[in-house]
Amino acid sequence: MNELVRQHTALDDSDLEWLHLLVSEWQLLSDLSFADLVLWVPTLDGTRYVSVAQMRPNTGPTSYQDDMVGHLVPRGRRPMLDAALDEGRIVREGDPEWREEVPVRVESIPVRREGRVLGVIARNTNLLTVRTPSRLELTYLQSASDLAQMIAAGTFPFPDQQVDMDASPRVGDGLIRLDADGVVQYASPNALSAYHRLGLASDLVGHHLGEATAELAPSRAPVDEALVKLASGWAPREFEIEASDGVIQFRAIPLKPKGTRIGSLVLLRDVTELRRRERELITKDATIREIHHRVKNNLQTVAALLRLQARRIGSEGGREALEEAVRRVGSIAIVHETLSQNLDERVEFDEIADRVLAMVAEISPGKVTGRRTGRFGILDAEVATPLSMVLTEILQNALEHGFREGDTGTVEVCAVRGGTSRESRLLVTVQDDGVGLPEDFDPHRSGNLGLQIVRTLVEGELGGSFDMVPAPDRGTRVILDLPVEAHK
């Protein structure tokens, strides 16, 4: 819609924001009307209309089989659009149109903002299945008429309330129509079932909804006046009520078709099972984070024990082997520490890479500095854990074998994410400017334990490739090419 409005119309950003707010709400009008909605906006030169948005009803058959967004029609071809735009009123005159042998009733609703008509909503109702309307359908249609008048007057949608239509109750979930005093005029079967879930034993019609709701709310205090007002629909609000047997989500919509409140619509949805599952997920997430926290603590304990043992060993080789083991355990602990702070099994690996780089740099025999360029991005835990070990081994190998006591130099870790598909690639390069590789060195046949770990993890567990080659100027370059899942 942004592109169409800016390309074809004279509307400014504040007008466009109003249209976005309207489009975020108009599923309600479509469902209450049993009709398709198409938003037409006049073009910059005023000679045509461009359709910038479309909505189909969940409560009835569609009138359009094709997508209308982006269509242009000249002014004069649809007189009802012209009349609604020029006169600023809802236009219902005219005979039904026939589209592919389907009769369609067309109405035009001006979209007003701060006294200006920005465009026109064409409301198209498929008349093929028209029958004698029930009480529910009559209530829907009357409520739709009131909302249409509010749109034409510029009082709907409500500018101070941004609604997430995916999370808010919809018309089919449950609907209650109130009069100006908050007394129930009509309650749909789904709405009545939701109130029965709260503990209501009688019908709702004729009762004051706010008072009835406050009595059902789990409170030993006197009647909650705020809850009475909310459930009476005095202001546009969303709220929830949780009783012992259920949780009901509410949305109140005051109806002011002529500027004065004549009643309200209350949409409600039984979200008992949804909230129960959310609580289970929260408990599960907390348990997983606690497990990661305890694993991290256990690994740190193991590392401390190995460090103590290393101090008691007289053999230089044995002490170095234990210190290497301490760093390997520490790299895994870093991942679990990061996972213990997240809500899912994904980690921002750049922080882990920086911590591994700092940890390994402590063993530098000279004044060697480490730095990272590029971004690893978000990685799944099953990738992050072996990759942290791989990075630890490569850095440790570069610092131990690439530099001598007193040397100065640099070790750089470069990460590049590529690809746009679900399975993208991660290219990691670790390059130092040390003494370089010995002649005839083959990293794929080396008996070095660290390189054996790298080969096993990269090729076996991560499904990638590993190579170690001389750097262009001096030193050594290690290249990792790994498949990773793309995350936004």
Side-chain angles (χ1 to χ4, degrees):
M1 185 166 70
N2 288 356
E3 183 179 346
L4 288 170
V5 168
R6 289 171 177 148
Q7 179 181 353
H8 294 286
T9 78
L11 301 183
D12 59 26
D13 288 344
S14 59
D15 295 331
L16 180 58
E17 184 178 349
W18 182 264
L19 295 185
H20 274 294
L21 188 60
L22 172 66
V23 169
S24 72
E25 292 271 31
W26 71 344
Q27 180 73 64
L28 175 63
L29 177 63
S30 178
D31 290 345
L32 290 172
S33 304
F34 308 97
D36 291 75
L37 306 178
V38 179
L39 177 57
W40 296 93
V41 180
T43 57
L44 184 61
D45 58 9
T47 62
R48 296 180 296 175
Y49 298 94
V50 57
S51 58
V52 298
Q54 178 177 357
M55 178 59 66
R56 291 184 171 88
N58 294 317
T59 52
T62 183
S63 303
Y64 287 108
Q65 298 302 322
D66 300 325
D67 192 345
M68 295 296 296
V69 175
H71 283 216
L72 291 161
V73 297
R75 184 178 172 88
R77 179 174 296 178
R78 300 191 178 184
M80 295 177 70
L81 291 181
D82 299 339
L85 182 70
D86 296 340
E87 301 171 23
R89 65 179 179 90
I90 298 175
V91 181
R92 295 191 175 94
E93 301 87 358
D95 297 326
E97 297 180 3
W98 287 83
R99 300 176 189 163
E100 299 179 359
E101 300 183 356
V102 175
V104 177
R105 181 174 64 241
V106 181
E107 304 164 272
S108 295
I109 304 167
V111 177
R112 192 183 302 274
R113 173 180 177 265
E114 297 180 352
R116 296 164 44 240
V117 178
L118 307 182
V120 179
I121 295 175
R123 181 164 54 177
N124 303 268
T125 307
N126 187 324
L127 300 177
L128 197 61
T129 58
V130 169
R131 61 186 185 278
T132 303
S134 64
R135 177 75 187 279
L136 179 145
E137 291 169 328
L138 289 172
T139 303
Y140 277 21
L141 293 172
Q142 180 58 53
S143 301
S145 177
D146 294 334
L147 283 178
Q149 291 183 58
M150 291 170 65
I151 291 173
T155 57
F156 186 84
F158 305 111
D160 57 344
Q161 186 186 41
Q162 187 71 40
V163 176
D164 182 359
M165 289 305 296
D166 292 332
S168 295
R170 298 196 177 193
V171 170
D173 296 325
L175 178 143
I176 297 175
R177 173 86 186 213
L178 307 178
D179 65 13
D181 297 322
V183 176
V184 178
Q185 294 179 309
Y186 176 79
S188 72
N190 285 347
L192 195 57
S193 296
Y195 263 84
H196 287 164
R197 188 77 178 256
L198 288 177
L200 181 72
S202 61
D203 196 0
L204 274 174
V205 176
H207 293 272
H208 190 280
L209 186 67
E211 295 175 358
T213 304
E215 291 175 1
L216 295 170
S219 174
R220 297 181 181 178
V223 174
D224 188 339
E225 294 296 333
L227 180 58
V228 171
K229 206 161 188 176
L230 282 174
S232 299
W234 285 92
R237 294 289 186 273
E238 290 194 23
F239 58 98
E240 285 188 6
I241 295 177
E242 182 171 359
S244 57
D245 294 330
V247 183
I248 307 301
Q249 182 184 17
F250 290 78
R251 183 189 177 195
I253 304 169
L255 297 176
K256 303 177 181 179
K258 296 182 180 179
T260 303
R261 181 175 172 275
I262 64 168
S264 304
L265 279 182
V266 177
L267 306 180
L268 59 156
R269 175 193 294 167
D270 185 345
V271 293
T272 305
E273 292 304 312
L274 177 63
R275 295 295 177 259
R276 181 185 62 80
R277 289 196 295 269
E278 286 178 350
R279 282 193 288 267
E280 289 178 351
L281 286 174
I282 290 172
T283 303
K284 179 182 177 182
D285 287 339
T287 302
I288 291 173
R289 288 199 300 273
E290 179 62 21
I291 290 172
H292 284 302
H293 181 70
R294 294 189 181 189
V295 169
K296 182 262 296 184
N297 288 343
N298 291 338
L299 289 172
Q300 288 179 338
T301 301
V302 170
L305 292 173
L306 290 174
R307 197 175 291 112
L308 286 172
Q309 188 65 42
R311 292 171 183 169
R312 293 174 176 269
I313 293 181
S315 167
E316 183 69 22
R319 185 163 54 251
E320 290 179 357
L322 286 178
E323 288 174 350
E324 287 183 4
V326 167
R327 286 187 287 275
R328 287 164 185 153
V329 172
S331 67
I332 301 174
I334 291 173
V335 177
H336 283 282
E337 181 180 3
T338 305
L339 288 169
S340 70
Q341 301 168 1
N342 292 343
L343 293 176
D344 54 25
E345 292 292 289
R346 299 172 183 173
V347 295
E348 179 63 62
F349 197 81
D350 295 316
E351 178 186 350
I352 294 174
D354 291 341
R355 293 180 64 180
V356 168
L357 191 59
M359 178 182 68
V360 176
E362 295 176 0
I363 68 168
S364 171
K367 296 181 180 180
V368 181
T369 58
R371 66 168 179 262
R372 174 181 59 85
T373 60
R375 292 191 69 251
F376 286 86
I378 298 174
L379 297 177
D380 291 330
E382 58 264 27
V383 175
T385 301
L387 182 57
S388 68
M389 286 197 66
V390 167
L391 197 57
T392 300
E393 297 299 332
I394 294 174
L395 289 170
Q396 184 170 296
N397 188 75
L399 292 171
E400 286 185 349
H401 301 291
F403 299 94
R404 292 183 291 268
E405 189 73 32
D407 285 352
T408 60
T410 302
V411 178
E412 180 178 358
V413 179
C414 177
V416 178
R417 293 285 286 265
T420 57
S421 63
R422 184 168 179 80
E423 185 179 84
S424 60
R425 308 294 299 186
L426 172 62
L427 183 64
V428 181
T429 305
V430 180
Q431 182 168 319
D432 66 69
D433 54 3
V435 298
L437 296 171
E439 292 185 10
D440 301 325
F441 178 80
D442 185 352
H444 299 285
R445 294 186 179 182
S446 172
N448 179 285
L449 176 60
L451 292 182
Q452 288 181 10
I453 292 174
V454 170
R455 287 198 302 268
T456 301
L457 292 177
V458 171
E459 298 172 358
E461 190 163 343
L462 295 174
S465 62
F466 155 74
D467 200 5
M468 179 181 286
V469 297
D473 296 328
R474 57 171 296 185
T476 305
R477 174 182 291 174
V478 178
I479 303 169
L480 306 176
D481 187 2
L482 311 172
V484 293
E485 187 174 353
H487 295 301
K488 293 182 179 180

